[in-house]
Amino acid sequence: MNIFKLTIRNAGRHKLRTALTIIGMAIAVMAFAVIRTAIEAWYSQASASSPNRLVANNDVSIIFTLPISYQSKIAAVPGVQSVAHAQWFGGIYVDPANFFPKFAVEAEPYLKMYPEFLIPPDQKETFLKERNAVIVGRRLADRFGFKVGDPVRIIGDIYPGDWDFVIRGIYTGAKENTDESSFIFHYAYVDERMRQEMPPRAGQVGWFMIQIDDPSRATAISNEIDAMFDNSAAETKTQTEEAFALSFVEMSGSIIVGMQIVSIMVIGIVLLVLANTMAMTARERIGEYAVLKTLGFGNGHIVGLIFGESFLIACLGGALGIALTFPIVGLMKVAMALYFSAFPMPALTFILAGGSALIVGILAAIFPAMKALRTSIVDGLRVVD
């Protein structure tokens, strides 16, 4: 019988213990891969950004506004192709628990900047014509059963009062990570009412979307825009769309760091579990190793048996864990579709998960192997007795 067959036989001698160790290993690897996927989902929105789009917002904070009069000055900067303004609207749909992002935008240039929003031409044409029209993402429409033509009332908080809209279009994303949960309508509808009810708030926008002709000049154009408004009452902070999106991710930086720590701890715990299993196995077989040495088996054979068994258990657990990751991520994708547009599963995640399993398999066998080698034949046979 060769070493490989003997390794398989040894792994199956305590079926329950081996099975439980494999399951524990699989759960740990699956948890590691799922946490890594969740972290990737956090960053997926930023990866959907276009390199030729910039965002200019108030330098103090995104919650402070900018005068709409800045738009013509920004549009005159060399390299700027078009500018559109947008504003976070807030508001409540039926119940505060029904959260979804609502944006008041300068519709026509804004939609031209986002070719990834796919809207049927007739719906887009109707939306652009009607002041209180709104377009919604497919996922948002599916969540609330919205259909084209449905009236929707939003109870304003940032902009007080009842706001009545009519859904005139449903867009889908051209890419997997395109956001399909937004509620987009005309800024003019909001501004018109502000001019009547709260004049100081009229003509104020949250940020400007800026399309540029050359992404390599993004920094130069950003600096030029910000320089125009230095020492003004509302200084600007201009950055790439990706940097703008990442600034929101950074707000959750502590959560992401915590998730990364947990993923490492999970692997550490399973390392201890497998190491304990291998230690028990080696301790129980000290007598057998002594017999093998007596029959002429060298240290290499003994080490091969111990490492082989640990490696086999780790590989089976790792493979099972990776296989379990796919359905679990599928369930997460459905349950958290409102918050994350995509759950990317890059190859690096599986390389790290599989690699972790292999490293655990190796590390767990080191001390049992050392103990087996240090034990003399006489001491080993005495244990048998």
Side-chain angles (χ1 to χ4, degrees):
M1 181 178 293
N2 60 37
I3 293 295
F4 182 69
K5 289 183 178 179
L6 193 56
T7 299
I8 296 175
R9 290 281 181 90
N10 282 341
R13 286 168 64 178
H14 295 278
K15 292 183 175 58
L16 179 60
R17 187 168 68 194
T18 300
L20 292 176
T21 304
I22 290 173
I23 292 172
M25 189 79 195
I27 292 174
V29 170
M30 181 268 292
F32 177 82
V34 167
I35 291 173
R36 289 276 312 175
T37 302
I39 293 173
E40 290 291 337
W42 225 291
Y43 287 96
S44 66
Q45 196 65 37
S47 66
S49 305
S50 170
N52 64 349
R53 290 197 293 252
L54 305 180
V55 182
N57 58 277
N58 194 300
D59 187 40
V60 178
S61 169
I62 187 67
I63 65 172
F64 292 97
T65 58
L66 295 171
I68 199 171
S69 58
Y70 281 13
Q71 184 169 5
S72 58
K73 298 177 181 177
I74 295 173
V77 173
V80 172
Q81 291 184 321
S82 63
V83 184
H85 53 76
Q87 172 67 41
W88 176 264
F89 185 76
I92 298 169
Y93 172 64
V94 182
D95 187 275
N98 296 333
F99 172 81
F100 51 83
K102 310 169 192 70
F103 300 107
V105 305
E106 188 182 13
E108 191 161 2
Y110 186 88
L111 292 180
K112 285 182 180 177
M113 286 188 199
Y114 284 89
E116 60 265 42
F117 290 178
L118 305 178
I119 313 169
D122 58 325
Q123 295 181 11
K124 183 177 180 179
E125 183 179 355
T126 306
F127 166 69
L128 292 175
K129 287 180 180 176
E130 296 183 10
R131 185 62 60 91
N132 68 334
V134 60
I135 56 172
V136 299
R138 170 51 64 189
R139 284 209 312 273
L140 182 63
D142 292 342
R143 178 186 175 195
F144 294 106
F146 290 151
K147 300 184 294 296
V148 174
D150 283 355
V152 177
R153 171 168 288 182
I154 301 296
I155 302 170
D157 42 22
I158 299 175
Y159 295 92
D162 293 338
W163 297 80
D164 293 315
F165 299 94
V166 179
I167 295 176
R168 292 305 186 191
I170 297 175
Y171 72 86
T172 55
K175 303 174 183 175
E176 184 188 9
N177 55 359
T178 301
D179 174 53
E180 292 183 350
S181 62
S182 293
F183 187 92
I184 300 171
F185 53 93
H186 296 277
Y187 170 82
Y189 179 50
V190 179
D191 192 58
E192 183 179 76
R193 186 160 158 181
M194 287 296 101
R195 289 185 186 283
Q196 297 173 358
E197 299 177 2
M198 305 175 75
R201 297 187 62 183
Q204 297 291 314
V205 300
W207 62 89
F208 292 100
M209 294 300 307
I210 304 161
Q211 188 157 29
I212 59 176
D213 56 1
D214 184 1
S216 67
R217 295 192 62 239
T219 302
I221 294 173
S222 298
N223 292 338
E224 188 169 349
I225 292 171
D226 292 341
M228 285 196 302
F229 306 109
D230 275 349
N231 300 317
S232 67
E235 297 184 353
T236 59
K237 179 181 180 180
T238 307
Q239 54 194 330
T240 62
E241 187 183 29
E242 182 179 18
F244 180 73
L246 286 174
S247 67
F248 289 94
V249 175
E250 289 171 0
M251 293 179 187
S252 306
S254 299
I255 297 174
I256 295 174
V257 171
M259 293 170 68
Q260 290 172 331
I261 293 174
V262 168
S263 67
I264 295 172
M265 289 177 63
V266 166
I267 295 299
I269 291 171
V270 79
L271 169 63
L272 296 177
V273 171
L274 183 56
N276 181 59
T277 298
M278 293 310 302
M280 292 172 61
T281 299
R283 186 168 58 249
E284 293 170 356
R285 296 174 189 165
I286 286 295
E288 297 178 19
Y289 297 148
V291 172
L292 290 175
K293 290 178 182 179
T294 304
L295 294 175
F297 284 83
N299 288 338
H301 291 96
I302 305 300
V303 170
L305 285 173
I306 297 173
F307 272 87
E309 185 174 350
S310 178
F311 205 66
L312 179 63
I313 293 173
C315 286
L316 291 175
L320 180 60
I322 290 174
L324 289 173
T325 300
F326 290 95
I328 297 298
V329 171
L331 292 174
M332 286 175 59
K333 191 173 182 178
V334 173
M336 305 186 73
L338 176 62
Y339 305 102
F340 299 104
S341 54
F343 274 85
M345 298 173 68
L348 180 61
T349 294
F350 298 105
I351 292 173
L352 290 175
S356 299
L358 299 180
I359 292 173
V360 166
I362 294 171
L363 294 178
I366 291 177
F367 291 107
M370 290 173 61
K371 182 176 177 59
L373 294 179
R374 288 172 180 169
T375 304
S376 66
I377 294 176
V378 174
D379 290 338
L381 292 175
R382 185 179 295 121
V383 171
V384 175
D385 292 336

